[in-house]
Amino acid sequence: MNIFREIKSMFFLIVMGLLSLIQYELKGQEQTAALLLNEGVTFAKSKSYDSAIVKFNDALNFAVQQNDTANILKSYRNLGLSYRYVNQPLKSINTYLRGLELIGDNDAYSIIKGRFLNSLGSIYMATNSFEKAKASFLQAITQMPESNSYHIWLNNLGNANLELDDYDLAIQNFRESLALKRNLGLKEEERVVVYNNLGEALLRSDQLVEAKIFLDSALLFREADSAQDKVPIWNNLTWYYMKVGSSQQAERYLLLSSKVIDQSINKDKVKYYWLGKSLADVVGDYKGYVKYDMMHDSLNDLTFKESRLMLQEAQSEYEIDQRENQLNQQEELLAAQQTIITKNTNLLILVIIIALIVLGSAIYFVLLNSRNKKLRMRNELLVREQNHRVKNNLQMISSLLSLQAGKAQDEISKYALKQSQGRIQAIALLNRSLYDQEEIGDIDLKVYISELITEVINSITDTEVKYQLDIDDIKLDLEKTTSLGLIINELIVNSVKYVQQSVTEFSLSIKAQSGKFSLEYTDNGENFDLQAYQNSKSFGKKLVELQAKQLKGKSKISNDSQFRYQLNFS
């Protein structure tokens, strides 16, 4: 318990010191857009969406004053999501449309443009504007054909084609989405929605045998989920048994849906009442037919009217906002009066030292608690509490480094700060992976490395980076995972910095055999100078060598034209 008190006191002192530094650095300015965005995300994660919307709007206003396009787009994206969660689709639509108008044909923001279009398409689907939804999904797919979210967008496009009665195209979309999910190694439980969608598309096109296979698969892998999540599958199975003439089985699945239909979304309710009406007609239940028919028509008309009204209001509000934005454009440009404060070298050094202290403390704390197995039940509660505090502190340090990097006037200082931020994020991701687990234990290396690479790339560059991963199903302890994460972070940063190609590409392989592990990393850089690398005294190179020793491994750098790093450890 004394150790925990010491760690608590240490973190308290660090937080107070950082708050003082931030107050000094900002010199009376309002919080920056980045900090406001982080606060908004924190509220959104706790489902306090009204508070999140306030923070995101503040971030948007600040970013507009600073003419900060990147944070303007981030604010729009977060606002669009939050408005959707509080059931304000017209505000969500208008927000995404403003973001897309700002992006225009700027290829530098192609990734976020694809996400805007996909989100916009999803809202159009919810408001029954299927043609607009299809157009948005098609644009998203065209915008980012190699995105990791491509399988999701294909499924969304399939839903739009399904609602537009283009069954063949919908089936093609769903099959392609399933193939991509398999290639990405996603679990069967993550394919359930596509199984059900494909089953419905096959059902509508009277391919009944294959439809039944996919609907049964969907139900099988939804077994552990709530009854409400199974309603779309039960509805489709009801429809299937009606088509094959098995009224008794159809009534069975309709009865399952009826128990939770009141908690379902309107789309599932409309379909349920339509199926009930159709089944009552087949079995000759006149009273049941009248009941289901009245409920179906009433709900269908209400949903249609609400959708049309929301779209009309959204279009009108967007046109008004466009005119107001044009009139206020000069005012907004004049309002951007505050500039970034000159870099303070001593403050920069102090921030880096504090970041390393927090980093070392976090590693020490996690290792200490993972070894205390005899008091597992009591210590897990303490670990989770401390992990939560570590997460908040690491996020604060990362935000501070990001703030300072944005204010640095020379590229060397800015790059050094971004590197430090990347190292902090590597540890923060490890902390988050541990915190999200039900039990404290080893880390799933494939999941951790995939998330780490995405965060590292997003934090250091806006240009396109392609990569290939070949990682065995490996679970490592915290100490080894930490060292590997820092090594991979430095290798990726090195590739992005030095590869002189239009697109940076790299591949990473981690293999396990008989208790021994091998890591191999290559990039597409040319004319790699091995001698210059060996003579380098950079902090990143030293960090890689230090972590390799920590793993008690043997590393090797190739002497051919390309950069190749190999590490063997046990």
Side-chain angles (χ1 to χ4, degrees):
M1 294 301 292
N2 290 333
I3 294 175
F4 293 125
R5 290 195 188 98
E6 290 173 6
I7 294 174
K8 181 179 179 181
S9 300
M10 179 178 63
F11 280 136
F12 177 78
L13 291 174
I14 291 172
V15 170
M16 294 305 295
L18 288 174
L19 291 174
S20 299
L21 289 173
I22 292 171
Q23 185 177 10
Y24 167 78
E25 178 67 15
L26 294 176
K27 292 183 179 178
Q29 295 185 62
E30 295 295 325
Q31 289 177 302
T32 64
L35 288 176
L36 289 165
L37 281 168
N38 286 334
E39 291 179 8
V41 169
T42 300
F43 280 122
K45 286 181 178 178
S46 63
K47 297 185 179 181
S48 300
Y49 297 115
D50 290 335
S51 299
I53 288 171
V54 172
K55 290 295 181 181
F56 293 143
N57 272 314
D58 290 343
L60 176 62
N61 293 333
F62 193 93
V64 168
Q65 290 178 3
Q66 299 295 329
N67 199 24
D68 183 353
T69 303
N71 279 323
I72 292 175
L73 294 175
K74 289 178 182 178
S75 301
Y76 278 142
R77 184 162 187 263
N78 284 295
L79 274 170
L81 290 170
S82 298
Y83 282 135
R84 185 177 178 185
Y85 287 136
V86 297
N87 198 27
Q88 296 187 39
L90 65 93
K91 288 189 176 181
S92 186
I93 290 172
N94 289 338
T95 301
Y96 288 127
L97 289 174
R98 292 191 198 102
L100 290 170
E101 183 182 23
L102 178 62
I103 295 171
D105 296 325
N106 191 337
D107 293 336
Y109 300 105
S110 58
I111 294 177
I112 196 169
K113 183 177 182 180
R115 291 171 179 166
F116 274 34
L117 288 165
N118 181 66
S119 298
L120 187 60
S122 298
I123 302 171
Y124 282 139
M125 287 290 292
T127 55
N128 294 339
S129 184
F130 304 122
E131 289 287 358
K132 289 185 177 182
K134 179 178 180 178
S136 295
F137 292 139
L138 281 172
Q139 279 187 273
I141 290 172
T142 305
Q143 191 71 28
M144 287 295 293
E146 298 182 8
S147 169
N148 289 336
S149 302
Y150 193 69
H151 62 93
I152 299 174
W153 299 349
L154 276 172
N155 179 61
N156 292 341
L157 179 59
N159 282 326
N161 283 319
L162 189 62
E163 295 296 342
L164 292 169
D165 298 333
D166 193 342
Y167 304 141
D168 291 339
L169 195 53
I171 290 170
Q172 178 184 336
N173 296 148
F174 294 138
R175 291 191 193 278
E176 290 175 357
S177 178
L178 272 180
L180 284 174
K181 287 177 181 287
R182 292 191 184 99
N183 292 339
L184 290 171
L186 298 181
K187 297 179 180 178
E188 293 287 351
E189 290 80 358
E190 299 178 54
R191 308 176 197 171
V192 169
V193 173
V194 187
Y195 282 150
N196 185 55
N197 291 341
L198 180 53
E200 180 175 347
L202 292 166
L203 197 60
R204 292 193 186 191
S205 60
D206 291 327
Q207 300 179 50
L208 303 182
V209 175
E210 193 176 5
K212 182 65 162 54
I213 293 173
F214 284 106
L215 292 176
D216 285 344
S217 298
L219 189 59
L220 174 64
F221 293 110
R222 271 274 192 244
E223 190 63 33
D225 295 338
S226 66
Q228 186 177 339
D229 292 329
K230 299 175 187 176
V231 168
I233 306 172
W234 288 339
N235 280 346
N236 282 331
L237 284 168
T238 301
W239 195 5
Y240 166 79
Y241 282 113
M242 287 173 59
K243 278 181 172 282
V244 300
S246 180
S247 300
Q248 187 175 1
Q249 283 288 77
E251 288 176 340
R252 172 175 168 250
Y253 283 107
L254 190 68
L255 178 61
L256 290 173
S257 295
S258 68
K259 295 177 181 178
V260 291
I261 196 63
D262 288 340
Q263 289 80 45
S264 299
I265 60 175
N266 281 350
K267 177 184 175 182
D268 291 335
K269 288 181 180 178
V270 170
K271 190 171 183 179
Y272 165 79
Y273 291 131
W274 174 77
L275 289 168
K277 177 179 70 172
S278 302
L279 184 58
D281 186 40
V282 170
V283 301
D285 180 3
Y286 177 72
K287 290 183 178 180
Y289 181 89
V290 172
K291 180 187 74 172
Y292 284 120
D293 185 55
M294 291 177 62
M295 296 296 293
H296 174 262
D297 289 346
S298 175
L299 184 59
N300 204 26
D301 289 345
L302 177 63
T303 303
F304 178 75
K305 290 176 181 178
E306 286 179 347
S307 301
R308 292 296 299 270
L309 180 60
M310 284 190 290
L311 286 173
Q312 290 171 1
E313 290 176 351
Q315 185 64 31
S316 299
E317 186 175 325
Y318 175 64
E319 291 173 357
I320 293 170
D321 285 346
Q322 264 194 322
R323 289 194 292 269
E324 289 180 351
N325 287 338
Q326 290 172 355
L327 292 173
N328 295 332
Q329 187 175 14
Q330 289 185 339
E331 241 177 67
E332 290 176 351
L333 290 174
L334 292 174
Q337 295 174 351
Q338 289 205 278
T339 59
I340 298 172
I341 300 175
T342 306
K343 174 184 66 72
N344 188 314
T345 304
N346 293 332
L347 180 60
L348 170 62
I349 295 172
L350 183 57
V351 169
I352 293 174
I353 291 173
I354 292 174
L356 293 176
I357 290 173
V358 173
L359 176 62
S361 301
I363 296 171
Y364 171 75
F365 174 73
V366 173
L367 291 176
L368 175 65
N369 284 276
S370 66
R371 291 171 181 168
N372 194 358
K373 294 181 180 179
K374 292 183 179 180
L375 301 175
R376 188 183 186 92
M377 296 301 294
R378 185 182 67 178
N379 284 353
E380 278 190 10
L381 181 61
L382 296 173
V383 168
R384 291 188 184 279
E385 174 63 22
Q386 292 297 334
N387 275 341
H388 182 67
R389 298 186 183 186
V390 170
K391 175 184 175 182
N392 290 342
N393 281 284
L394 289 172
Q395 182 62 50
M396 186 177 295
I397 294 298
S398 179
S399 298
L400 185 57
L401 288 172
S402 175
L403 170 64
Q404 191 63 45
K407 296 180 179 181
Q409 291 185 338
D410 61 279
E411 291 301 321
I412 295 176
S413 297
K414 182 179 293 186
Y415 187 74
L417 280 165
K418 283 196 172 185
Q419 282 187 311
S420 296
Q421 186 184 13
R423 294 164 189 142
I424 292 293
Q425 288 175 337
I427 300 303
L429 178 59
L430 175 62
N431 176 266
R432 188 166 68 246
S433 298
L434 177 66
Y435 181 74
D436 290 341
Q437 293 183 145
E438 291 184 1
E439 295 183 0
I440 304 301
D442 292 342
I443 300 298
D444 187 327
L445 198 60
K446 183 182 290 187
V447 174
Y448 169 65
I449 296 300
S450 298
E451 293 180 358
L452 173 63
I453 289 174
T454 299
E455 289 204 8
V456 171
I457 292 173
N458 289 341
S459 67
I460 62 175
T461 182
D462 293 328
T463 59
E464 184 178 5
V465 177
K466 295 182 179 179
Y467 59 88
Q468 292 182 340
L469 300 180
D470 185 11
I471 303 174
D472 287 349
D473 292 328
I474 300 171
K475 288 192 175 183
L476 290 180
D477 59 37
L478 295 170
E479 186 174 1
K480 290 179 180 177
T481 306
T482 301
S483 296
L484 274 181
L486 289 172
I487 289 173
I488 292 168
N489 176 77
E490 295 301 325
L491 292 174
I492 295 172
V493 170
N494 185 68
S495 295
V496 172
K497 182 177 180 182
Y498 292 107
V499 169
Q500 303 295 321
Q501 303 289 350
S502 59
V503 177
T504 300
E505 298 181 11
F506 67 83
S507 64
L508 174 64
S509 169
I510 303 178
K511 297 293 181 181
Q513 186 174 7
S514 302
K516 295 183 178 181
F517 307 96
S518 62
L519 178 151
E520 182 171 318
Y521 177 93
T522 61
D523 63 31
N524 64 332
E526 297 180 352
N527 302 319
F528 170 62
D529 190 341
L530 178 60
Q531 187 65 37
Y533 180 84
Q534 291 175 337
N535 293 336
S536 171
K537 296 182 180 180
S538 69
F539 178 75
K541 175 174 173 288
K542 291 179 180 178
L543 183 58
V544 170
E545 293 172 347
L546 177 64
Q547 296 307 315
K549 289 181 180 178
Q550 186 75 17
L551 290 168
K552 298 180 181 178
K554 294 182 179 181
S555 61
K556 177 183 176 183
I557 309 290
S558 68
N559 57 0
D560 54 17
S561 61
Q562 287 188 320
F563 177 80
R564 185 184 302 276
Y565 177 83
Q566 294 172 305
L567 173 65
N568 296 309
F569 63 98
S570 58

